[in-house]
Amino acid sequence: MRLKLLFTVSIVLLSIFTNNAQNSNTLKGVVTTEQGEPIMGATVFLKGVSMGTTTDFDGAFLLEKIPNNTYTIQVSYVGFTTITKQIVIDKPVTIQNFVLKESAYLLEGVVVTSQKREQKNKNVPIAITSYGTDFLQNQGTFEYDALSEYVPGFQVQIQSVNNPGIVVRGITSDSGDSRVEPRVSIFQDGVSISKSRGSVVELFDIERVEVLKGPQGTLFGRGAQIGAMHIIQNKAKNETSGSVKLGYGNFNQFLATGYFNTPLVEDKLFFRAAAIYNGRDGFIENISGGDLNGKETLAFRTSFKYLLNDNTSLDLIANWQKDTPPGTSFKSGTYAPLGGDTNPNTFADLERGEDLGLDRTVWGVTAILKHSFNDIWDLTSTTAYREFDSNEAFDADGTVAPALFFNEISIGKQFSQEFRFNFDNDDKFRGFLGANFFYEDGSQSVPWEYDERSVAMLLLNPANLVVNGFPILLPNIPNDPAAFGAIAGAPLNAFNKETYTNFGENYSGDVFVDASYDLSDKLSFTLGLRATLENINAAYEVEDTETPSFLGFLTGNYPNVLFAPTNGKISASENFLSAVGRFAVNYDINENITLFGTTSRGRRPNVINVTATETNVLSDEIVWSYEVGAKSLFLDNRLQFDVNAYMYDYSNFQTSVAKLEDGVLIATTEDSGNASSFGFEVAFQYAFSETSSFFANYGYIDASFDEVDSDGNAQALAGNTFRLTPENSFSAGFNINLELNNTLDYFFRPTYTYKSKVFFEETNLPEISQDAYGLFNFRTGLVIDKDYEINFYMTNALDKEYIIDAGNTGGAFGIPTFIAGAPRFFGVQVKAKF
């Protein structure tokens, strides 16, 4: 009996041991390139059991606790052809190595990091447009506005690098007021650079630019109410490489840019430096001196990467940029210059001549520490400090009259610290959680220098501000006691000055979580939440005129003329607690097509609106977004097709306005009530050979103010279209590369962009608009031995005349100004790689 019991127990134990052994098999190996180089970060995935991992620094991988069976294994990495094969697991240790072949057909934008992890665009439930190094270099794109032409639902207007208007699906972010947060977040390597006057940076030595549409608060913080643009710069690598590009074009355009990368300590410390100078003369002659609408930018970047150990790395990146372009041509549409006309594209006569222009410096330092705790958890710590300082001089009346000469002096500094814990259990659950602290302190000061005699003419007899190209000056207030009382006949000064300044100092703390769960092999859900506590401090101050002006009695602002006195600084402070979030669904129809749907809530922070007469708090601007779409990737990454449709519902929509009200020039933010929009976008890419491809994008949007506000009251702007928003936009282009012989290749890269009519103000005045137009650009040239290039380029090849803005400060006085778009540019560039 005892023997029988012992035998039975032995059989059971042996069975348990055998079953455990069958479930304790291990698969390991190494993933390399065809040249034998290890590939770090390659994905190794066993289908059917949802087991996967990524390769380490040596290209090695390890999967454990695998039951005996036959599996389909998939090995993939960005830029390489995916391997899919059958593999039998039937012994304790199976060794299987993989050699990945570089893909000849990889389309740009296939892989993104918008959800804080590397994913194929097809698998991300967000409308994303992504362009990498090749596209930016092929198109010669260094500025946001040029890039935006190729992104559906994305428009960028740059009056100057100090004054951009960034538009996502109809919503514009362009206020320079230090108290107002942007609606669109601009990020650079995970750091917000969103404040308008410091947000424009040159796109040189860039790894990738991703544009995300829709509320992205959980991913990019409190400023991403309606979208975000993320600029990922090239970092230092374990290689020795470099390139230099030089170019010259019309309007004395000169370009010099390049980079150099090298290891400093073998397999430990790497260094990269990049720089650009990009300048040209202005294309609008100013007969009072100098030229207008030019460019001059000098920028440097250095970065270090230090591998502390196999699990920890540190990137240190420093950026510096200096912009000193000539002034912007705010040309009057009312008064023609001497011997000219009011066409914005012809010469102007703006007061102060060569004194017009911008002097802006932007610099920052970022440290990114990454540490892997294990196969599931890793940490990213991002620490950054940034400053900008700009002084732009502009003539707001657009004439030779010494009436509205302004400077805008903007100063800002910020510090941010984020800790983000990423997790991925290589099965069904992945995402991130963390916390962020952000501090900013800024001001916007607007000194106004003027001749009282010219301002009197603007206020009392604007039809004669400029006659036959000459300013008319009123030496004194008309001697009419019945009309002007005691100041009748009072003399007016040839020079005066007054200044207003707004101040903003903000502290914010965020906690956030964003996670995805695979309900099945085909269906996954994503939920994201971010809670924010803000301490917002706002202030406003007006400095009195240097000499009290009798004109102040006419406007009611004595001793000033336009800016109502504050008698010192007026300050206010408030705390706000808020939350935003998103819920998304992804469904894989098959390996090529994915459907997605999202519901998300976006928020623009409250504005503490301080003026000389009152202080009020505007409600936070809220948007609810609903979106559905489909993404596809066919023919081994050769064909990509995306389509999406969306609806937005806004409440407490805020509008930045400049207006003359009861003699007071007010630059402020107002709550314009409710608004809504809907639209759809289509994007297509196809690589029709190993080196040649085609792309096309289309966007439709209907964005306007609702008939009534949230209280049921009729809205003044009811039915009006959002500013800077074309109903239809389209872009398309080819990248054609032909091998002529073993050492010589030829390329031709034509593109065409189109946008329908846009209004420049929400009043939708017909004369403050631009009719539909299209631009044709191309670049063609030769590549020698794969390392040397010479090309000829032409933008706006048909020399189309158009404007990029209208109205502006002059519009507040009934004399709108207009800014011309760029004419035909052409030139030659040479490039060498080493």
Side-chain angles (χ1 to χ4, degrees), residues 186-194 230-231 233 235 314-319 362-369 380-388 412-420 435-441 506 508:
I186 309 296
F187 269 66
Q188 187 179 59
D189 290 324
V191 177
S192 174
I193 62 170
S194 303
H230 192 194
I231 304 164
Q233 303 173 121
K235 315 293 191 305
L314 174 66
D315 284 289
L316 186 64
I317 309 149
N319 283 281
V362 180
W363 66 272
V365 179
T366 302
I368 304 173
L369 178 70
T380 299
S381 169
T382 304
T383 309
Y385 181 81
R386 196 166 188 270
E387 288 190 7
F388 65 85
K413 60 182 179 180
Q414 67 180 60
F415 171 80
S416 61
Q417 173 63 59
E418 179 175 285
F419 294 103
R420 188 178 69 248
N436 174 279
F437 171 77
F438 187 83
Y439 166 77
E440 62 181 353
D441 185 14
N506 302 316
S508 70

Side-chain angles (χ1 to χ4, degrees), residues 538-550:
Y540 180 73
E541 182 177 22
V542 173
E543 298 176 16
D544 293 346
T545 56
E546 295 183 350
T547 303
S549 174
F550 287 108

Side-chain angles (χ1 to χ4, degrees), residues 352-415:
R352 303 290 183 100
E354 294 184 358
D355 289 342
L356 300 172
L358 169 66
D359 186 347
R360 185 188 78 142
T361 302
V362 180
W363 66 272
V365 179
T366 302
I368 304 173
L369 178 70
K370 295 185 177 181
H371 175 73
S372 177
F373 297 103
N374 49 47
D375 291 340
I376 297 177
W377 287 93
D378 64 71
L379 166 69
T380 299
S381 169
T382 304
T383 309
Y385 181 81
R386 196 166 188 270
E387 288 190 7
F388 65 85
D389 187 342
S390 67
N391 186 342
E392 183 168 19
F394 60 97
D395 185 349
D397 58 72
T399 75
V400 71
L404 299 178
F405 177 78
F406 292 93
N407 281 69
E408 183 193 315
I409 304 169
S410 295
I411 299 172
K413 60 182 179 180
Q414 67 180 60
F415 171 80

Side-chain angles (χ1 to χ4, degrees), residues 128 144 200 263 316 328-329 399 492 566 610 682:
I128 304 172
Y144 294 176
V200 176
L316 186 64
T328 299
S329 179
T399 75
L492 298 172
T566 60
V610 183
V682 179

Side-chain angles (χ1 to χ4, degrees), residues 175-192:
S175 176
D177 193 317
S178 64
R179 302 165 297 184
V180 178
E181 283 301 309
R183 293 185 176 103
V184 180
S185 280
I186 309 296
F187 269 66
Q188 187 179 59
D189 290 324
V191 177
S192 174

Side-chain angles (χ1 to χ4, degrees), residues 1-17:
M1 184 68 179
R2 289 181 179 178
L3 288 174
K4 184 176 180 181
L5 179 60
L6 181 60
F7 178 75
T8 301
V9 171
S10 299
I11 293 298
V12 172
L13 291 174
L14 180 61
S15 175
I16 293 173
F17 176 79

Side-chain angles (χ1 to χ4, degrees), residues 114-135:
S114 54
Q115 293 193 133
K116 313 304 181 182
R117 56 188 181 271
E118 195 172 86
Q119 297 174 280
K120 286 187 176 180
N121 191 341
K122 184 179 75 70
N123 299 325
V124 180
I126 301 171
I128 304 172
T129 301
S130 177
Y131 289 119
T133 300
D134 290 344
F135 183 89

Side-chain angles (χ1 to χ4, degrees), residues 681-818:
E681 298 158 353
V682 179
F684 175 86
Q685 288 189 87
Y686 176 58
F688 52 85
S689 76
E690 291 187 7
T691 56
S692 300
S693 61
F694 169 77
F695 78 89
N697 301 310
Y698 171 76
Y700 169 83
I701 183 169
D702 182 347
S704 60
F705 291 93
D706 295 343
E707 293 296 325
V708 297
D709 62 20
S710 55
D711 296 324
N713 301 314
Q715 298 193 138
L717 298 174
N720 285 14
T721 298
F722 289 176
R723 59 189 294 261
L724 299 178
T725 302
E727 186 175 42
N728 299 282
S729 59
F730 170 79
S731 66
F734 285 92
N735 179 18
I736 300 172
N737 297 271
L738 302 175
E739 183 177 316
L740 301 181
N741 54 47
N742 290 335
T743 61
L744 198 62
D745 298 313
Y746 168 75
F747 64 84
F748 180 53
R749 297 163 185 153
T751 63
Y752 180 79
T753 63
Y754 167 88
K755 61 181 67 175
S756 60
K757 183 174 183 175
V758 296
F759 292 102
F760 295 111
E761 293 182 350
E762 281 147 354
T763 52
N764 284 189
L765 298 175
E767 64 272 19
I768 311 297
S769 65
Q770 168 62 54
D771 289 335
Y773 69 95
L775 300 177
F776 174 67
N777 311 316
F778 71 88
R779 185 175 296 263
T780 186
L782 298 171
V783 178
I784 305 166
D785 289 332
K786 309 299 182 184
D787 291 330
Y788 305 96
E789 176 186 308
I790 180 169
N791 72 74
F792 173 78
Y793 70 90
M794 186 175 287
T795 60
N796 191 6
L798 304 180
D799 206 21
K800 172 69 178 179
E801 287 192 356
Y802 61 100
I803 59 173
I804 64 168
D805 201 10
N808 306 300
T809 304
F813 294 85
I815 51 170
T817 58
F818 300 80

